[in-house]
Amino acid sequence: MLKTAVQEQLLPGDTLQAKWEFAQQAGYDAIELRGKGDLHFASRLDELKQARKDGVVMPTVCVDMLHFLGAFDEDLRRDALTQMKSQLTVIAEIGGTGAQTPASYGMFSRRLPPFEPPRGEAEDREILLTGLTELGEHARREGVTLFLEPLNRYEDHMVNRLDQAADLIRATGLDSVRIGIDSYHMNIEESDPAAAILTHADLVGHAQVSDSNRFQPGAGHLDWRAWLAALHAIGYDGHLALECRLTGDPVEAVRSVPAFLKRSGA
């Protein structure tokens, strides 16, 4: 049976311990952390260590910043790499498995004017490979994994589909870089999401879940049975981390997800 996790900002409670109590009662197996910029995640190390000591399960961190490794500006790229290295180090120190990041978010879309980015595809690829290699080598030294998340075409112009992420990851030659899949983005970009999972089975390292409308699973029209069956078929043993907006009563919405995923095949 696949395990479920929930991002910390979705949980009621003022501390990770309180959030964990609710999460367990709702049927979750872990909490996914959020990693802000300005080394904020590292500043939480004492809090995170105490939470781990108190039994909170925190396997992964998802980046929560305004710029990423594929930024057009060199200073912003360097800062993004610094932040991600720090997050990889911290998640390793609390016994986690890795950190998830997109190549970029909200930086440019070929689907909206002016349609042509200020940087060509060849340079995009060179910059992404350089950044992924640097982060992947750091992750390997720390004993954790960097998860590259493809985003939909309106949020990122470089890495939208699993095959694009897989191509970059294979080019790095690093086992410490894997794909972090997201059901919402896959629903937009993949012609057959379940088939994409099967095709890239060897590189799927982490999974985030939300429905077709970015609300909690069960609030949209995504084919959960097929998506979850594909994860079962490839032997995925990580968590399904809830990353979504909420519709309806927020507490009940969060509470509903583990049972819904279990009914759907998880």
Side-chain angles (χ1 to χ4, degrees):
M1 181 178 292
L2 294 173
K3 300 168 289 186
T4 56
V6 53
Q7 289 193 348
E8 59 179 309
Q9 78 280 2
L10 298 175
L11 291 165
D14 295 327
T15 65
L16 282 170
Q17 289 84 346
K19 291 175 182 289
W20 178 232
E21 183 176 355
F22 174 91
Q24 288 179 289
Q25 291 173 353
Y28 291 96
D29 302 291
I31 292 177
E32 178 161 272
L33 301 167
R34 295 281 287 196
K36 297 181 181 179
D38 298 325
L39 300 177
H40 179 263
F41 194 60
S43 75
R44 297 179 61 191
L45 186 56
D46 289 344
E47 170 203 1
L48 299 175
K49 284 183 173 180
Q50 184 60 52
R52 183 190 183 194
K53 185 177 179 181
D54 292 337
V56 183
V57 180
M58 303 166 287
T60 52
V61 56
C62 179
V63 65
D64 183 10
M65 302 191 308
L66 295 178
H67 53 270
F68 303 87
L69 66 118
F72 293 135
D73 181 85
E74 173 64 21
D75 290 339
L76 293 180
R77 284 201 303 276
R78 290 310 316 168
D79 180 70
L81 294 175
T82 297
Q83 302 301 323
M84 287 308 303
K85 286 180 181 178
S86 175
Q87 291 182 25
L88 288 163
T89 295
V90 171
I91 202 67
E93 194 159 349
I94 62 170
T97 59
Q100 178 142 324
T101 182
S104 70
Y105 168 74
M107 185 173 79
F108 194 89
S109 172
R110 288 194 175 93
R111 302 296 173 171
L112 298 170
F115 299 116
E116 287 301 323
R119 190 174 65 201
E121 291 185 15
E123 190 177 0
D124 277 348
R125 180 178 176 81
E126 180 183 355
I127 283 171
L128 291 180
L129 283 176
T130 298
L132 288 171
T133 299
E134 185 173 336
L135 291 176
E137 289 174 345
H138 183 84
R140 182 175 59 186
R141 289 192 294 270
E142 295 288 2
V144 292
T145 303
L146 177 75
F147 305 115
L148 176 62
E149 179 182 4
L151 302 188
N152 71 75
R153 67 194 71 184
Y154 304 105
E155 298 179 24
D156 176 23
H157 73 289
M158 293 179 287
V159 185
N160 308 128
R161 302 183 311 275
L162 269 61
D163 66 294
Q164 293 170 313
D167 175 62
L168 289 165
I169 291 169
R170 290 192 174 99
T172 69
L174 292 167
D175 292 336
S176 53
V177 186
R178 288 290 180 262
I179 305 173
I181 66 172
D182 184 301
S183 58
Y184 167 74
H185 297 295
M186 292 183 69
N187 179 67
I188 296 172
E189 293 297 337
E190 304 292 347
S191 59
D192 185 336
I197 291 172
L198 297 175
T199 297
H200 303 291
D202 60 320
L203 290 180
V204 174
H206 184 51
Q208 292 180 332
V209 293
S210 61
D211 219 311
S212 56
N213 49 13
R214 204 40 156 171
F215 289 127
Q216 70 271 13
H221 60 250
L222 197 147
D223 186 348
W224 286 103
R225 291 190 182 278
W227 200 81
L228 294 169
L231 287 177
H232 276 298
I234 70 171
Y236 177 73
D237 60 359
H239 291 83
L240 302 175
L242 179 64
E243 181 191 47
C244 68
R245 300 182 181 92
L246 302 171
T247 184
D249 178 83
V251 172
E252 291 308 312
V254 172
R255 198 192 305 272
S256 72
V257 173
F260 172 80
L261 291 175
K262 184 176 181 180
R263 291 195 303 272
S264 300

